[in-house]
Amino acid sequence: MASGFGTPRLEPAHLIFLSVTLVVVLLNHLPTRAGVAVPLTGVAVALELARLAGVDVPAEVRQTGRLLLALSPWAAWLASRRSAPASEVDRVWLGFRDRYGLLWAQRVREQFNRSASSAGWQARLGWTGLYPPGAEDHEALTTLQALLKRFGPAGDQPTVRSNKGRA
C-alpha cells in the first residue's frame, strides 16, 4: 500500500469481498476482445491478493506478477487490432460489448432480440454481431442505438475502428 498510511488492516471478510469483486470484473471481460489480457491480469491480481493475505510471495514471483500486469494492456490492445466488421450494426455492437463486458452486453442483446421479435424481423443479435448478415440493417442500427442511449450520447458510443486505410 502507499507509504505513510501504515500497514493495511485487511480482515478475511475484506479480502474475500475484494477478491470476489475483482473476479467478477475480470470474468466480465473474459469473452470480449480484451479477454486475452484477463489471464495475465488475473495472475497478477492473485499474487497481490496472496501478499495482502500474508502469504510470503518471493520477490521474483512478485516481479513476474508486475510484469504480467504491465503486459496486459498491450495484449488487450493487440487483440483489439483485429479486422473491423463490415456492418455498422456490428461495429456499434462489438464496440459496446468490448467496452462494457458480458453483464451489460447480455442485457442489451436480450432487449434487442425481444424488440426484433416483436417487430417480426428475421435478424437476431448474437455475441459476434447481427445475423443473418445484412438483415434489417437500418432498423437494427436504429434499435441498437436507442438501447444504448442510457450509456451515453450517440457520439460517445463505442465502435470498433475500421481498418480501412491502414498499411
Side-chain angles (χ1 to χ4, degrees):
M1 295 301 215
S3 64
F5 291 112
T7 330
R9 271 189 0 201
L10 292 175
E11 301 298 325
H14 296 133
L15 283 171
I16 290 169
F17 176 77
L18 181 59
S19 300
V20 168
T21 302
L22 292 171
V23 165
V24 168
V25 169
L26 290 172
L27 290 179
N28 186 42
H29 285 88
L30 188 60
T32 68
R33 287 181 186 223
V36 297
V38 169
L40 301 174
T41 306
V43 169
V45 164
L47 290 171
E48 190 60 26
L49 285 171
R51 191 186 66 76
L52 288 172
V55 175
D56 185 28
V57 179
E60 301 83 30
V61 176
R62 282 197 314 263
Q63 287 301 99
T64 301
R66 291 178 183 143
L67 177 64
L68 291 174
L69 188 60
L71 291 175
S72 65
W74 294 104
W77 178 73
L78 286 172
S80 74
R81 307 233 344 130
R82 290 186 265 177
S83 62
S87 148
E88 181 66 18
V89 176
D90 289 348
R91 271 195 293 276
V92 170
W93 164 247
L94 294 176
F96 172 81
R97 181 200 75 180
D98 291 345
R99 182 179 285 179
Y100 288 91
L102 174 71
L103 299 175
W104 280 112
Q106 283 296 91
R107 177 72 177 133
V108 168
R109 191 171 71 98
E110 175 186 299
Q111 289 176 333
F112 179 91
N113 287 335
R114 208 173 309 135
S115 297
S117 180
S118 294
W121 301 342
Q122 296 298 315
R124 294 291 176 263
L125 191 58
W127 189 250
T128 57
L130 191 68
Y131 64 90
E136 290 98 17
D137 263 351
H138 178 70
E139 295 89 355
L141 181 59
T142 303
T143 302
L144 183 57
Q145 287 172 335
L147 290 170
L148 297 180
K149 278 185 183 178
R150 76 177 73 176
F151 297 96
D156 291 344
Q157 292 304 320
T159 60
V160 176
R161 283 176 275 123
S162 173
N163 286 340
K164 293 177 185 171
R166 288 189 185 167

